[in-house]
């Protein structure tokens, strides 16, 4: 009997505050940090966001959600790029988790 082994990607995620640098929205200081293990067989933004949401549940108000963003606080799209394992394997890519309410508030400025 042949068994299949699921491969995982280890990714560091920072729960960040948002800040403004040179009049541009950016990720600020990390409030907390965690590693998640993403199964290569199930890479999609919704699944990964749920993993992060569960890890940071102590920091998230009950009526708020986590949004995964890049260094410029731009939310990652759920598209072919973020469904590719190479996207998440890139160690130079910082992935920030921010509260949806913070992102909405800061975008007004």
């Amino acid at each position: 009997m042949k068994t299949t082994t699921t491969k995982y990607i280890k990714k560091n995620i920072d729960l960040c505050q948002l800040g403004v640098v040179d009049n541009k929205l950016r990720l600020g200081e990390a409030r907390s940090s965690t590693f998640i293990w993403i199964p290569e067989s199930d890479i999609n933004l919704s699944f990964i966001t749920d993993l992060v949401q569960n890890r940071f549940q102590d920091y998230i108000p009950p009526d708020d959600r986590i949004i995964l963003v890049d260094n410029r606080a731009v939310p990652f799209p759920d598209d072919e790029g973020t469904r590719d394992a190479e996207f998440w394997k890139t160690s130079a890519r910082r992935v920030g988790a921010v509260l949806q309410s913070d992102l909405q508030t800061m975008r007004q400025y």
Side-chain angles (χ1 to χ4, degrees), residues 42-49 68 74-88 93:
D42 197 11
I43 296 177
N44 68 70
L45 195 60
S46 178
F47 177 77
I48 295 167
T49 301
L68 298 180
V74 174
F76 291 121
D78 188 10
D79 62 14
E80 290 180 24
T82 58
R83 290 185 207 115
D84 183 359
E86 293 306 314
F87 179 89
W88 299 99
R93 177 175 286 111

